[in-house]
Amino acid sequence: MTLIDPVLLKTRLADLAGRFDVDALDACDSTNSELMRRAERGAPAGSVIVADEQSAGRGRRGRSWLSSAESSLTFSLLWRFSGNAASLSGLSLAVGVGLVRAMDSLGAQGICLKWPNDVLLRSGDGYAKLAGILIELSSDRRGTQAIIGIGLNLLPPTGDLPQPAAGLSQACPHPADRHDVLAAILVHLAAVLDSFASAGFGGLKLEWQRHHAWQDQAVQILGDGEAAKPGRCLGVDADGALLLETAAGVERIFSGDVSLRSA
Ligand code: ATP
Ligand code: BTN
């Protein structure tokens, strides 16, 4: 018996139950990898894999994602878009907006976004990472398929992590049932993904910036083997690029092998 019961989840999804096809697993290597294999075999858009445990959970830039059955929610959603991969550059930010809306609907306080793929919880003077988004795209002549992987800490992680991490339990006044959490996320994701498909990230940009942890603040961009680049973060543009004001002018930074840090 898995921690997510797909039948119970369907009742929580109410009117939107028909848009999702949820499979709950005890364990797998990575829900993104498992869903990718199923997509290659023709899984429909709206397929969701949620796993209690991942033996090889993956984060951005080849990092590992640590999770445990009791403390985490780890799942992936398959979605298809008509455009090419370049037209989806703001997708991870759009997904972040969906996560913020879902957390709001659960009564969570202090939720913020960090470019390009993190959900943070305000904690004292700083922030701790609550959730991460890993999107993997593949295109063919019909369009682009996105595997949207989300790892959410329900409880604060206990392992040794390079950055502070938090759990949803610290943001919510009442403990949230994992079925309610997953249903809220899927419902809000369906809305932002529909909006993204019809109008791109531009229609969600101001909402993203309202929740941006470092809007108009001093930040630095760290790239592998490069000197830190300081600047003031002006927010993001309609393509999801980060706008960094430096002495040389405003630079557009695309999600790549760089990390954003508070200055
Ligand atoms: P970057 O900041 O470079 O964009 P990131 O978003 O992957 O990268 P951070 O948020 O800075 O990373 O740091 C979090 C680090 O901790 C990452 O290496 C991430 O993969 C790792 N991590 C692994 N599991 C968890 C978890 N359950 N909660 C929070 N962080 C985790
Ligand atoms: C990050 O912050 O770097 C992204 C973390 C994404 C983790 C989730 S957990 C479910 C899905 N399966 C994976 O292997 N990764 C994503």
Side-chain angles (χ1 to χ4, degrees), residues 29-33 54 56-61 63 65 73-76 117-118 129 131-134 148-152:
D29 52 353
S30 146
T31 56
N32 266 35
S33 306
Q54 297 185 115
R58 295 184 283 114
R60 209 167 78 91
R61 306 178 69 192
R63 292 169 176 152
W65 184 257
L73 184 61
T74 52
F75 69 96
S76 304
N117 69 322
D118 290 357
K129 181 157 168 168
I133 301 160
L134 177 68
I148 302 168
I150 295 174
L152 168 67

PDB file of all heavy atoms in Angstrom, residues 29-33 54 56-61 63 65 73-76 117-118 129 131-134 148-152, ligand 2:
ATOM      1  N   ASP A  29      13.530   4.512  -9.366  1.00  0.00           N
ATOM      2  CA  ASP A  29      14.808   5.235  -9.369  1.00  0.00           C
ATOM      3  C   ASP A  29      14.543   6.735  -9.236  1.00  0.00           C
ATOM      4  O   ASP A  29      15.010   7.396  -8.312  1.00  0.00           O
ATOM      5  CB  ASP A  29      15.649   4.875 -10.613  1.00  0.00           C
ATOM      6  CG  ASP A  29      14.890   5.016 -11.937  1.00  0.00           C
ATOM      7  OD1 ASP A  29      13.662   5.263 -11.916  1.00  0.00           O
ATOM      8  OD2 ASP A  29      15.516   4.887 -13.001  1.00  0.00           O
ATOM      9  N   SER A  30      13.763   7.258 -10.176  1.00  0.00           N
ATOM     10  CA  SER A  30      13.419   8.675 -10.196  1.00  0.00           C
ATOM     11  C   SER A  30      12.071   8.766 -10.900  1.00  0.00           C
ATOM     12  O   SER A  30      11.890   8.139 -11.952  1.00  0.00           O
ATOM     13  CB  SER A  30      14.498   9.439 -10.973  1.00  0.00           C
ATOM     14  OG  SER A  30      13.957  10.524 -11.690  1.00  0.00           O
ATOM     15  N   THR A  31      11.136   9.515 -10.348  1.00  0.00           N
ATOM     16  CA  THR A  31       9.819   9.601 -11.012  1.00  0.00           C
ATOM     17  C   THR A  31       9.968  10.246 -12.390  1.00  0.00           C
ATOM     18  O   THR A  31       9.230   9.914 -13.316  1.00  0.00           O
ATOM     19  CB  THR A  31       8.801  10.373 -10.144  1.00  0.00           C
ATOM     20  OG1 THR A  31       9.329  11.665  -9.839  1.00  0.00           O
ATOM     21  CG2 THR A  31       8.466   9.632  -8.871  1.00  0.00           C
ATOM     22  N   ASN A  32      10.939  11.178 -12.544  1.00  0.00           N
ATOM     23  CA  ASN A  32      11.162  11.746 -13.881  1.00  0.00           C
ATOM     24  C   ASN A  32      11.612  10.661 -14.853  1.00  0.00           C
ATOM     25  O   ASN A  32      11.104  10.573 -15.975  1.00  0.00           O
ATOM     26  CB  ASN A  32      12.249  12.833 -13.826  1.00  0.00           C
ATOM     27  CG  ASN A  32      11.669  14.226 -13.653  1.00  0.00           C
ATOM     28  OD1 ASN A  32      10.665  14.387 -12.965  1.00  0.00           O
ATOM     29  ND2 ASN A  32      12.284  15.224 -14.245  1.00  0.00           N
ATOM     30  N   SER A  33      12.579   9.832 -14.421  1.00  0.00           N
ATOM     31  CA  SER A  33      13.104   8.795 -15.329  1.00  0.00           C
ATOM     32  C   SER A  33      12.009   7.781 -15.658  1.00  0.00           C
ATOM     33  O   SER A  33      11.853   7.369 -16.818  1.00  0.00           O
ATOM     34  CB  SER A  33      14.285   8.066 -14.689  1.00  0.00           C
ATOM     35  OG  SER A  33      15.252   8.991 -14.291  1.00  0.00           O
ATOM     36  N   GLN A  54      12.539   7.349  -3.807  1.00  0.00           N
ATOM     37  CA  GLN A  54      13.325   7.344  -5.052  1.00  0.00           C
ATOM     38  C   GLN A  54      14.745   6.910  -4.687  1.00  0.00           C
ATOM     39  O   GLN A  54      15.338   7.455  -3.744  1.00  0.00           O
ATOM     40  CB  GLN A  54      13.403   8.735  -5.657  1.00  0.00           C
ATOM     41  CG  GLN A  54      12.077   9.326  -6.089  1.00  0.00           C
ATOM     42  CD  GLN A  54      12.273  10.669  -6.799  1.00  0.00           C
ATOM     43  OE1 GLN A  54      11.988  10.794  -7.975  1.00  0.00           O
ATOM     44  NE2 GLN A  54      12.773  11.657  -6.087  1.00  0.00           N
ATOM     45  N   ALA A  56      17.256   7.176  -6.853  1.00  0.00           N
ATOM     46  CA  ALA A  56      18.189   8.058  -7.574  1.00  0.00           C
ATOM     47  C   ALA A  56      17.462   9.336  -7.972  1.00  0.00           C
ATOM     48  O   ALA A  56      17.434   9.704  -9.147  1.00  0.00           O
ATOM     49  CB  ALA A  56      18.753   7.334  -8.800  1.00  0.00           C
ATOM     50  N   GLY A  57      16.877  10.008  -6.968  1.00  0.00           N
ATOM     51  CA  GLY A  57      16.170  11.267  -7.230  1.00  0.00           C
ATOM     52  C   GLY A  57      17.164  12.302  -7.740  1.00  0.00           C
ATOM     53  O   GLY A  57      18.276  12.417  -7.218  1.00  0.00           O
ATOM     54  N   ARG A  58      16.764  13.039  -8.762  1.00  0.00           N
ATOM     55  CA  ARG A  58      17.692  13.950  -9.417  1.00  0.00           C
ATOM     56  C   ARG A  58      17.248  15.400  -9.253  1.00  0.00           C
ATOM     57  O   ARG A  58      16.063  15.701  -9.299  1.00  0.00           O
ATOM     58  CB  ARG A  58      17.778  13.628 -10.915  1.00  0.00           C
ATOM     59  CG  ARG A  58      18.367  12.264 -11.186  1.00  0.00           C
ATOM     60  CD  ARG A  58      18.542  11.983 -12.662  1.00  0.00           C
ATOM     61  NE  ARG A  58      17.287  11.639 -13.329  1.00  0.00           N
ATOM     62  CZ  ARG A  58      16.711  12.384 -14.248  1.00  0.00           C
ATOM     63  NH1 ARG A  58      17.242  13.530 -14.627  1.00  0.00           N
ATOM     64  NH2 ARG A  58      15.581  12.004 -14.812  1.00  0.00           N
ATOM     65  N   GLY A  59      18.236  16.290  -9.075  1.00  0.00           N
ATOM     66  CA  GLY A  59      17.973  17.723  -9.049  1.00  0.00           C
ATOM     67  C   GLY A  59      18.608  18.356 -10.271  1.00  0.00           C
ATOM     68  O   GLY A  59      19.108  17.677 -11.163  1.00  0.00           O
ATOM     69  N   ARG A  60      18.558  19.677 -10.294  1.00  0.00           N
ATOM     70  CA  ARG A  60      19.156  20.410 -11.394  1.00  0.00           C
ATOM     71  C   ARG A  60      20.676  20.237 -11.366  1.00  0.00           C
ATOM     72  O   ARG A  60      21.257  20.001 -10.320  1.00  0.00           O
ATOM     73  CB  ARG A  60      18.805  21.902 -11.203  1.00  0.00           C
ATOM     74  CG  ARG A  60      18.708  22.703 -12.456  1.00  0.00           C
ATOM     75  CD  ARG A  60      18.053  24.035 -12.135  1.00  0.00           C
ATOM     76  NE  ARG A  60      18.963  24.987 -11.503  1.00  0.00           N
ATOM     77  CZ  ARG A  60      19.697  25.873 -12.175  1.00  0.00           C
ATOM     78  NH1 ARG A  60      19.638  25.920 -13.484  1.00  0.00           N
ATOM     79  NH2 ARG A  60      20.485  26.726 -11.533  1.00  0.00           N
ATOM     80  N   ARG A  61      21.299  20.409 -12.484  1.00  0.00           N
ATOM     81  CA  ARG A  61      22.761  20.416 -12.615  1.00  0.00           C
ATOM     82  C   ARG A  61      23.398  19.145 -12.049  1.00  0.00           C
ATOM     83  O   ARG A  61      24.431  19.177 -11.386  1.00  0.00           O
ATOM     84  CB  ARG A  61      23.351  21.660 -11.949  1.00  0.00           C
ATOM     85  CG  ARG A  61      22.722  22.941 -12.480  1.00  0.00           C
ATOM     86  CD  ARG A  61      23.250  24.172 -11.804  1.00  0.00           C
ATOM     87  NE  ARG A  61      24.627  24.417 -12.153  1.00  0.00           N
ATOM     88  CZ  ARG A  61      25.402  25.293 -11.532  1.00  0.00           C
ATOM     89  NH1 ARG A  61      24.915  25.998 -10.526  1.00  0.00           N
ATOM     90  NH2 ARG A  61      26.637  25.472 -11.901  1.00  0.00           N
ATOM     91  N   ARG A  63      22.637  17.263  -9.626  1.00  0.00           N
ATOM     92  CA  ARG A  63      22.657  17.043  -8.172  1.00  0.00           C
ATOM     93  C   ARG A  63      21.644  15.972  -7.780  1.00  0.00           C
ATOM     94  O   ARG A  63      20.731  15.652  -8.523  1.00  0.00           O
ATOM     95  CB  ARG A  63      22.341  18.345  -7.461  1.00  0.00           C
ATOM     96  CG  ARG A  63      23.453  19.351  -7.644  1.00  0.00           C
ATOM     97  CD  ARG A  63      23.017  20.702  -7.181  1.00  0.00           C
ATOM     98  NE  ARG A  63      24.126  21.625  -7.288  1.00  0.00           N
ATOM     99  CZ  ARG A  63      23.980  22.923  -7.477  1.00  0.00           C
ATOM    100  NH1 ARG A  63      22.777  23.446  -7.583  1.00  0.00           N
ATOM    101  NH2 ARG A  63      25.031  23.700  -7.549  1.00  0.00           N
ATOM    102  N   TRP A  65      18.548  14.551  -5.376  1.00  0.00           N
ATOM    103  CA  TRP A  65      17.441  15.069  -4.566  1.00  0.00           C
ATOM    104  C   TRP A  65      17.183  14.064  -3.460  1.00  0.00           C
ATOM    105  O   TRP A  65      16.934  12.888  -3.721  1.00  0.00           O
ATOM    106  CB  TRP A  65      16.179  15.270  -5.413  1.00  0.00           C
ATOM    107  CG  TRP A  65      15.083  15.891  -4.598  1.00  0.00           C
ATOM    108  CD1 TRP A  65      14.005  15.254  -4.077  1.00  0.00           C
ATOM    109  CD2 TRP A  65      14.985  17.254  -4.198  1.00  0.00           C
ATOM    110  NE1 TRP A  65      13.235  16.152  -3.361  1.00  0.00           N
ATOM    111  CE2 TRP A  65      13.817  17.388  -3.423  1.00  0.00           C
ATOM    112  CE3 TRP A  65      15.783  18.388  -4.411  1.00  0.00           C
ATOM    113  CZ2 TRP A  65      13.421  18.605  -2.868  1.00  0.00           C
ATOM    114  CZ3 TRP A  65      15.376  19.597  -3.853  1.00  0.00           C
ATOM    115  CH2 TRP A  65      14.211  19.690  -3.096  1.00  0.00           C
ATOM    116  N   LEU A  73       7.160  14.602  -0.669  1.00  0.00           N
ATOM    117  CA  LEU A  73       6.240  14.296  -1.762  1.00  0.00           C
ATOM    118  C   LEU A  73       7.074  14.423  -3.033  1.00  0.00           C
ATOM    119  O   LEU A  73       7.641  15.497  -3.300  1.00  0.00           O
ATOM    120  CB  LEU A  73       5.095  15.299  -1.759  1.00  0.00           C
ATOM    121  CG  LEU A  73       3.978  15.086  -2.770  1.00  0.00           C
ATOM    122  CD1 LEU A  73       3.290  13.743  -2.557  1.00  0.00           C
ATOM    123  CD2 LEU A  73       2.942  16.210  -2.645  1.00  0.00           C
ATOM    124  N   THR A  74       7.231  13.333  -3.764  1.00  0.00           N
ATOM    125  CA  THR A  74       8.040  13.359  -4.987  1.00  0.00           C
ATOM    126  C   THR A  74       7.213  12.802  -6.128  1.00  0.00           C
ATOM    127  O   THR A  74       6.719  11.672  -6.046  1.00  0.00           O
ATOM    128  CB  THR A  74       9.339  12.527  -4.823  1.00  0.00           C
ATOM    129  OG1 THR A  74       9.009  11.220  -4.361  1.00  0.00           O
ATOM    130  CG2 THR A  74      10.304  13.162  -3.850  1.00  0.00           C
ATOM    131  N   PHE A  75       7.032  13.594  -7.168  1.00  0.00           N
ATOM    132  CA  PHE A  75       6.204  13.141  -8.278  1.00  0.00           C
ATOM    133  C   PHE A  75       6.586  13.867  -9.565  1.00  0.00           C
ATOM    134  O   PHE A  75       7.290  14.888  -9.542  1.00  0.00           O
ATOM    135  CB  PHE A  75       4.707  13.368  -7.981  1.00  0.00           C
ATOM    136  CG  PHE A  75       4.297  14.813  -7.950  1.00  0.00           C
ATOM    137  CD1 PHE A  75       3.753  15.422  -9.068  1.00  0.00           C
ATOM    138  CD2 PHE A  75       4.477  15.569  -6.806  1.00  0.00           C
ATOM    139  CE1 PHE A  75       3.382  16.758  -9.053  1.00  0.00           C
ATOM    140  CE2 PHE A  75       4.114  16.913  -6.783  1.00  0.00           C
ATOM    141  CZ  PHE A  75       3.561  17.499  -7.897  1.00  0.00           C
ATOM    142  N   SER A  76       6.113  13.313 -10.685  1.00  0.00           N
ATOM    143  CA  SER A  76       6.351  13.916 -11.999  1.00  0.00           C
ATOM    144  C   SER A  76       5.059  13.884 -12.795  1.00  0.00           C
ATOM    145  O   SER A  76       4.255  12.949 -12.676  1.00  0.00           O
ATOM    146  CB  SER A  76       7.436  13.154 -12.765  1.00  0.00           C
ATOM    147  OG  SER A  76       8.625  13.098 -11.998  1.00  0.00           O
ATOM    148  N   ASN A 117      14.189  27.675 -10.403  1.00  0.00           N
ATOM    149  CA  ASN A 117      13.405  26.448 -10.184  1.00  0.00           C
ATOM    150  C   ASN A 117      13.140  26.100  -8.728  1.00  0.00           C
ATOM    151  O   ASN A 117      12.896  24.940  -8.427  1.00  0.00           O
ATOM    152  CB  ASN A 117      14.143  25.257 -10.835  1.00  0.00           C
ATOM    153  CG  ASN A 117      15.418  24.930 -10.082  1.00  0.00           C
ATOM    154  OD1 ASN A 117      16.112  25.831  -9.626  1.00  0.00           O
ATOM    155  ND2 ASN A 117      15.699  23.658  -9.920  1.00  0.00           N
ATOM    156  N   ASP A 118      13.234  27.087  -7.845  1.00  0.00           N
ATOM    157  CA  ASP A 118      13.104  26.735  -6.427  1.00  0.00           C
ATOM    158  C   ASP A 118      11.909  27.431  -5.776  1.00  0.00           C
ATOM    159  O   ASP A 118      11.585  28.571  -6.104  1.00  0.00           O
ATOM    160  CB  ASP A 118      14.345  27.192  -5.639  1.00  0.00           C
ATOM    161  CG  ASP A 118      15.577  26.381  -5.972  1.00  0.00           C
ATOM    162  OD1 ASP A 118      15.464  25.432  -6.758  1.00  0.00           O
ATOM    163  OD2 ASP A 118      16.647  26.722  -5.443  1.00  0.00           O
ATOM    164  N   LYS A 129      15.129  26.140   1.407  1.00  0.00           N
ATOM    165  CA  LYS A 129      14.500  25.537   0.226  1.00  0.00           C
ATOM    166  C   LYS A 129      13.418  24.537   0.645  1.00  0.00           C
ATOM    167  O   LYS A 129      13.654  23.617   1.406  1.00  0.00           O
ATOM    168  CB  LYS A 129      15.572  24.845  -0.624  1.00  0.00           C
ATOM    169  CG  LYS A 129      15.040  24.212  -1.884  1.00  0.00           C
ATOM    170  CD  LYS A 129      16.139  24.067  -2.914  1.00  0.00           C
ATOM    171  CE  LYS A 129      15.720  23.184  -4.064  1.00  0.00           C
ATOM    172  NZ  LYS A 129      16.665  23.270  -5.182  1.00  0.00           N
ATOM    173  N   ALA A 131      10.994  23.346  -1.948  1.00  0.00           N
ATOM    174  CA  ALA A 131      10.687  22.462  -3.090  1.00  0.00           C
ATOM    175  C   ALA A 131      11.590  22.809  -4.259  1.00  0.00           C
ATOM    176  O   ALA A 131      12.056  23.946  -4.375  1.00  0.00           O
ATOM    177  CB  ALA A 131       9.221  22.625  -3.500  1.00  0.00           C
ATOM    178  N   GLY A 132      11.815  21.818  -5.093  1.00  0.00           N
ATOM    179  CA  GLY A 132      12.596  22.034  -6.318  1.00  0.00           C
ATOM    180  C   GLY A 132      11.828  21.478  -7.505  1.00  0.00           C
ATOM    181  O   GLY A 132      11.010  20.551  -7.366  1.00  0.00           O
ATOM    182  N   ILE A 133      12.099  22.065  -8.669  1.00  0.00           N
ATOM    183  CA  ILE A 133      11.414  21.685  -9.911  1.00  0.00           C
ATOM    184  C   ILE A 133      12.477  21.245 -10.911  1.00  0.00           C
ATOM    185  O   ILE A 133      13.462  21.962 -11.115  1.00  0.00           O
ATOM    186  CB  ILE A 133      10.651  22.921 -10.483  1.00  0.00           C
ATOM    187  CG1 ILE A 133       9.627  23.442  -9.473  1.00  0.00           C
ATOM    188  CG2 ILE A 133      10.011  22.590 -11.834  1.00  0.00           C
ATOM    189  CD1 ILE A 133       9.190  24.888  -9.742  1.00  0.00           C
ATOM    190  N   LEU A 134      12.284  20.098 -11.495  1.00  0.00           N
ATOM    191  CA  LEU A 134      13.212  19.619 -12.534  1.00  0.00           C
ATOM    192  C   LEU A 134      12.395  19.287 -13.773  1.00  0.00           C
ATOM    193  O   LEU A 134      11.597  18.347 -13.765  1.00  0.00           O
ATOM    194  CB  LEU A 134      13.952  18.362 -12.057  1.00  0.00           C
ATOM    195  CG  LEU A 134      14.886  17.731 -13.090  1.00  0.00           C
ATOM    196  CD1 LEU A 134      16.085  18.640 -13.365  1.00  0.00           C
ATOM    197  CD2 LEU A 134      15.379  16.357 -12.616  1.00  0.00           C
ATOM    198  N   ILE A 148       7.645  17.133 -15.867  1.00  0.00           N
ATOM    199  CA  ILE A 148       7.735  18.157 -14.828  1.00  0.00           C
ATOM    200  C   ILE A 148       7.860  17.443 -13.477  1.00  0.00           C
ATOM    201  O   ILE A 148       6.883  16.874 -12.974  1.00  0.00           O
ATOM    202  CB  ILE A 148       6.475  19.058 -14.856  1.00  0.00           C
ATOM    203  CG1 ILE A 148       6.344  19.711 -16.237  1.00  0.00           C
ATOM    204  CG2 ILE A 148       6.518  20.092 -13.727  1.00  0.00           C
ATOM    205  CD1 ILE A 148       4.998  20.393 -16.466  1.00  0.00           C
ATOM    206  N   GLY A 149       9.059  17.446 -12.934  1.00  0.00           N
ATOM    207  CA  GLY A 149       9.309  16.736 -11.674  1.00  0.00           C
ATOM    208  C   GLY A 149       9.317  17.716 -10.514  1.00  0.00           C
ATOM    209  O   GLY A 149       9.936  18.788 -10.598  1.00  0.00           O
ATOM    210  N   ILE A 150       8.647  17.346  -9.451  1.00  0.00           N
ATOM    211  CA  ILE A 150       8.574  18.211  -8.269  1.00  0.00           C
ATOM    212  C   ILE A 150       8.920  17.411  -7.017  1.00  0.00           C
ATOM    213  O   ILE A 150       8.385  16.320  -6.796  1.00  0.00           O
ATOM    214  CB  ILE A 150       7.164  18.835  -8.149  1.00  0.00           C
ATOM    215  CG1 ILE A 150       6.941  19.761  -9.352  1.00  0.00           C
ATOM    216  CG2 ILE A 150       7.003  19.595  -6.824  1.00  0.00           C
ATOM    217  CD1 ILE A 150       5.578  20.339  -9.463  1.00  0.00           C
ATOM    218  N   GLY A 151       9.842  17.961  -6.256  1.00  0.00           N
ATOM    219  CA  GLY A 151      10.175  17.381  -4.955  1.00  0.00           C
ATOM    220  C   GLY A 151       9.815  18.415  -3.898  1.00  0.00           C
ATOM    221  O   GLY A 151      10.321  19.546  -3.933  1.00  0.00           O
ATOM    222  N   LEU A 152       8.914  18.041  -3.009  1.00  0.00           N
ATOM    223  CA  LEU A 152       8.468  18.963  -1.953  1.00  0.00           C
ATOM    224  C   LEU A 152       8.776  18.323  -0.604  1.00  0.00           C
ATOM    225  O   LEU A 152       8.430  17.159  -0.366  1.00  0.00           O
ATOM    226  CB  LEU A 152       6.951  19.198  -2.103  1.00  0.00           C
ATOM    227  CG  LEU A 152       6.240  19.905  -0.947  1.00  0.00           C
ATOM    228  CD1 LEU A 152       6.690  21.362  -0.824  1.00  0.00           C
ATOM    229  CD2 LEU A 152       4.722  19.856  -1.141  1.00  0.00           C
TER     230      LEU A 152
HETATM  231  C1  BTN B   2      16.175  20.906  -7.901  1.00  0.00           C
HETATM  232  O1  BTN B   2      15.886  21.660  -6.972  1.00  0.00           O
HETATM  233  O2  BTN B   2      17.327  20.856  -8.352  1.00  0.00           O
HETATM  234  C2  BTN B   2      15.093  20.071  -8.516  1.00  0.00           C
HETATM  235  C3  BTN B   2      14.673  18.933  -7.645  1.00  0.00           C
HETATM  236  C4  BTN B   2      13.590  18.073  -8.284  1.00  0.00           C
HETATM  237  C5  BTN B   2      13.321  16.803  -7.524  1.00  0.00           C
HETATM  238  C6  BTN B   2      12.141  16.049  -8.064  1.00  0.00           C
HETATM  239  S1  BTN B   2      11.642  14.728  -6.993  1.00  0.00           S
HETATM  240  C7  BTN B   2      10.545  14.137  -8.230  1.00  0.00           C
HETATM  241  C8  BTN B   2      11.278  14.255  -9.540  1.00  0.00           C
HETATM  242  N1  BTN B   2      12.117  13.084  -9.744  1.00  0.00           N
HETATM  243  C9  BTN B   2      13.404  13.391  -9.739  1.00  0.00           C
HETATM  244  O3  BTN B   2      14.333  12.575  -9.883  1.00  0.00           O
HETATM  245  N2  BTN B   2      13.574  14.701  -9.556  1.00  0.00           N
HETATM  246  C10 BTN B   2      12.312  15.400  -9.431  1.00  0.00           C
END
